Amino acid sequence: MVADRLLEQVKGVLLHDRAHAPVKLLGGEVKFTSRWKVSDNLTVNMTASYDRVDISPEGRKRIVDYKTGSVHLFMQDMDAVFNADYRAGNVFQLLLYAHLLEKQEGAAEDIDMAIFDTNAIQRGEGETHISTDLKGTRPIRSQHAPEVIEFTERLNAAIAEIFDPDTPFRPTCDQQTCDNCVMRNICGR
C-alpha cells in the first residue's frame, strides 16, 4: 500500500514535469557542505541536502524540495521566519538552500525556490512558492527578493548569538515550541 502511494506520487511529479517541459535536472539528493562566513571572527560549517536542483522552464536555476505532508510557506515578514511562525515553517529551509547553492556556484544569481507538494501535484495544483499572502498570489521566487533580503543578516546575527560565550542559553518562551522539540530534554524543559 505504501509502495503504491509512493509510485502514484512519483508519477504525479513526472507528469507535472512533462507538462511544464523543458526542465533540465541538474541533480537529486545533492549533498553539500560549505563554510559560511558569519563575521570576520566567525565561520561555521553548513551542510545541506537538496532534494532536487534543476533548470526551470523559465531557464533559471531552481531548488525544489519535495513534501508529502503539510506545506507552510506563508510569511507575513522576516520575523515570522525567525520566530518559528508555524505558517512559515518551510521558508527558512528554502532561503538557506538558495543562498548555499548560490555560494556553491560562486556567482551572484537568483535561485528559484519551490516546494513540490506531491499530494497537491497529483491533484493538478502545481508547485508552491514562498508567499506574503495566505492565498499564495504574491509568490517570492528568489532569495534576492526585497521581502527576504534581510535573511542573511538575521541568520548571521542568530548564529553569532549562538556562538557568543557571553550570551547565556535561554529556552524559548513559547511552551508549544518545546512540546515538539527533539532537544527539550537537553535544555531542561
Side-chain angles (χ1 to χ4, degrees):
M1 186 157 131
V2 172
D4 291 338
R5 178 79 177 118
L6 182 60
L7 181 60
E8 289 303 311
Q9 290 174 332
V10 170
K11 284 181 185 177
V13 170
L14 292 173
L15 289 171
H16 175 270
D17 284 346
R18 185 171 70 185
H20 294 89
V23 174
K24 181 180 179 185
L25 183 64
L26 300 178
E29 286 300 315
V30 178
K31 296 190 184 329
F32 174 71
T33 299
S34 174
R35 304 276 295 154
W36 183 275
K37 184 175 181 181
V38 176
S39 67
D40 289 340
N41 301 325
L42 179 61
T43 301
V44 297
N45 293 324
M46 293 261 194
T47 299
S49 180
Y50 315 129
D51 287 347
R52 169 174 159 175
V53 180
D54 66 19
I55 302 296
S56 71
E58 295 81 26
R60 291 172 37 145
K61 195 167 288 178
R62 174 175 64 178
I63 289 183
V64 175
D65 192 55
Y66 295 109
K67 298 288 184 207
T68 57
S70 299
V71 174
H72 306 286
L73 290 171
F74 167 70
M75 56 163 271
Q76 186 169 351
D77 54 27
M78 198 53 65
D79 284 341
V81 176
F82 282 89
N83 292 331
D85 183 331
Y86 180 74
R87 299 171 300 174
N90 301 118
V91 174
F92 184 93
Q93 176 186 11
L94 284 179
L95 289 171
L96 178 61
Y97 282 9
H99 283 287
L100 287 171
L101 182 59
E102 177 186 36
K103 181 176 175 41
Q104 178 184 7
E105 298 295 315
E109 68 175 299
D110 288 343
I111 308 285
D112 281 357
M113 304 169 290
I115 288 201
F116 280 19
D117 175 347
T118 57
N119 298 309
I121 284 178
Q122 277 188 280
R123 294 188 303 266
E125 296 173 19
E127 59 198 61
T128 311
H129 301 272
I130 298 170
S131 184
T132 56
D133 72 317
L134 286 170
K135 293 182 181 178
T137 59
R138 292 193 308 263
I140 297 171
R141 294 180 181 263
S142 162
Q143 79 280 17
H144 295 283
E147 299 89 345
V148 295
I149 203 72
E150 68 184 272
F151 175 78
T152 54
E153 182 180 308
R154 297 278 300 263
L155 176 61
N156 287 342
I159 294 170
E161 182 179 338
I162 290 168
F163 283 92
D164 181 0
D166 296 327
T167 303
F169 171 76
R170 296 178 314 274
T172 182
C173 296
D174 182 5
Q175 183 62 44
Q176 188 176 5
T177 299
C178 293
D179 292 343
N180 299 315
C181 178
V182 296
M183 306 299 269
R184 68 181 171 270
N185 294 333
I186 294 173
C187 77
R189 276 256 165 124

